[in-house]
Amino acid sequence: MISSGPLMTAADVYSMSAGRLGATTAAVLGLIGVVAGGLALARPAGRLGTGTGRLGANAALAAGLIAVTLGGLVTATADGGLGTGNGLGGAIVALVVGLIALVLGGLAQARARRTRPLTPA
């Protein structure tokens, strides 16, 4: 059977295509957001600044939003399926990890709003 459509070839194992690079960047940003959100939930007045933990919550929200956006962009522009070297697998991982970072950041932000520090009058 002869096909008249374009042939899809998988990328080389060691090459770093634009899709792979974008998906890896998005996944790393999502992972940073998950760590920041987890720290903000665990220790709101701890390592990420003094106060109620808003810095960690905002960092998790920003990193998660960028990860979801970049992962969605790579997913939408990937030419092939999983295993073709276009970064689709990494983009799906970035979407999931970015959503987790958004949820953790939102929970930490809600906690920070409830526990405001006392200000002297």
Side-chain angles (χ1 to χ4, degrees):
M1 180 179 214
I2 298 175
S3 173
S4 62
L7 295 175
M8 300 287 290
T9 60
D12 188 25
V13 174
Y14 297 109
S15 68
M16 191 60 133
S17 65
R20 284 181 178 174
L21 185 63
T24 303
T25 304
V28 168
L29 274 172
L31 188 61
I32 290 170
V34 167
V35 169
L39 285 175
L41 274 177
R43 298 181 207 138
R47 298 176 189 260
L48 296 174
T50 59
T52 59
R54 283 184 183 239
L55 179 62
N58 288 337
L61 287 172
L65 183 63
I66 293 171
V68 167
T69 303
L70 191 56
L73 179 69
V74 172
T75 302
T77 59
D79 289 334
L82 288 172
T84 59
N86 292 317
L88 185 60
I92 293 170
V93 169
L95 283 170
V96 171
V97 174
L99 285 174
I100 292 170
L102 283 172
V103 168
L104 288 176
L107 289 173
Q109 187 75 18
R111 177 185 284 179
R113 285 188 187 141
R114 283 195 314 258
T115 58
R116 292 183 185 256
L118 297 175
T119 56

